[in-house]
Amino acid sequence: MASGRTFTLSELARNLGAPQHKLIHLCEKGAIAPELQDAAGRGSSRLFSARNFLEFAIALRLRSMMLPVAAVGAILHVLRGLERMIQNDVPEFSLPDNLRDAGAPDLRLIISDGATIYFSLGDPGAEPKLFGGIPVDGPEGERQAEPRVFDGPARRGHPSGGFQNEFGGPEGSLFVRLELSVTAIARDLPLD
């Protein structure tokens, strides 16, 4: 499995086709924390895990869509919380490893109406389970909250009323919906 691999900043930058300063910026702003070793001063190196590799790939996609670093950090925080939640039921679950398998579930990031972070997770062809409901840029205490599971089939209306979902998504977006396939990004990572 790829989760045992370690990566330097220069390896990640080369594999992601991004300048190192963009990756350093994400670390310095707290969006991504090196899982294996942080820099301990001038001349020291950071070491990153396969999970960090996936986080950088997601962060760069979100930044290319003009999302601020603080929002990217909040999204990655919710993704880490979702992984911990899944590990309660499936202890061996690990990002990105379990998203790269042939029969991997489809994990998608959804930002609903520019305000709320959700993740949908499901087997291809099945009704996805919805997690999240965390504000993108709410007060610090709210952003640190763990994602929650929404019971039953995906919601068809907006939580504030009976408006019908215009976008066909499970979270009930009314005006804007940004969706990103975390599974597709994980599969594209050169981890092997």
Side-chain angles (χ1 to χ4, degrees):
M1 279 202 149
S3 59
R5 282 201 52 198
T6 62
F7 301 91
T8 64
L9 195 63
S10 59
E11 287 175 311
L12 290 175
R14 184 175 50 256
N15 282 311
L16 292 167
Q20 285 189 32
H21 71 88
K22 286 187 176 188
L23 306 183
I24 291 168
H25 182 71
L26 289 164
C27 290
E28 290 178 353
K29 293 295 182 180
I32 298 173
E35 216 173 23
L36 304 176
Q37 177 182 311
D38 203 351
R42 190 168 180 85
S44 64
S45 298
R46 294 176 172 103
L47 285 177
F48 300 93
S49 67
R51 179 181 295 105
N52 288 142
F53 195 172
L54 176 63
E55 290 173 344
F56 277 119
I58 292 167
L60 291 172
R61 299 274 175 148
L62 293 171
R63 292 290 292 144
S64 73
M65 292 182 246
M66 308 309 270
L67 265 72
V69 173
V72 170
I75 290 164
L76 294 175
H77 174 79
V78 175
L79 179 61
R80 287 182 216 111
L82 174 62
E83 181 180 26
R84 286 188 301 273
M85 183 184 287
I86 294 170
Q87 287 171 341
N88 288 335
D89 293 331
V90 185
E92 66 277 359
F93 185 83
S94 171
L95 293 175
D97 293 331
N98 290 101
L99 296 180
R100 296 172 52 80
D101 296 338
D106 186 29
L107 177 61
R108 294 179 179 267
L109 159 68
I110 300 167
I111 301 176
S112 176
D113 292 324
T116 311
I117 303 165
Y118 294 95
F119 284 93
S120 70
L121 179 67
D123 293 324
E127 185 76 29
K129 195 168 221 178
L130 193 63
F131 301 85
I134 307 293
V136 171
D137 61 356
E140 193 64 28
E142 288 180 51
R143 221 176 36 203
Q144 298 304 317
E146 290 293 316
R148 62 182 188 269
V149 180
F150 293 93
D151 293 329
R155 298 180 306 157
R156 298 293 174 215
H158 195 270
S160 65
F163 296 105
Q164 220 29 35
N165 177 357
E166 293 293 322
F167 293 102
E171 77 295 339
S173 298
L174 290 176
F175 306 107
V176 138
R177 180 171 193 259
L178 180 128
E179 185 172 336
L180 186 85
S181 174
V182 177
T183 300
I185 291 172
R187 285 183 177 150
D188 279 349
L189 293 178
L191 292 173
D192 302 321

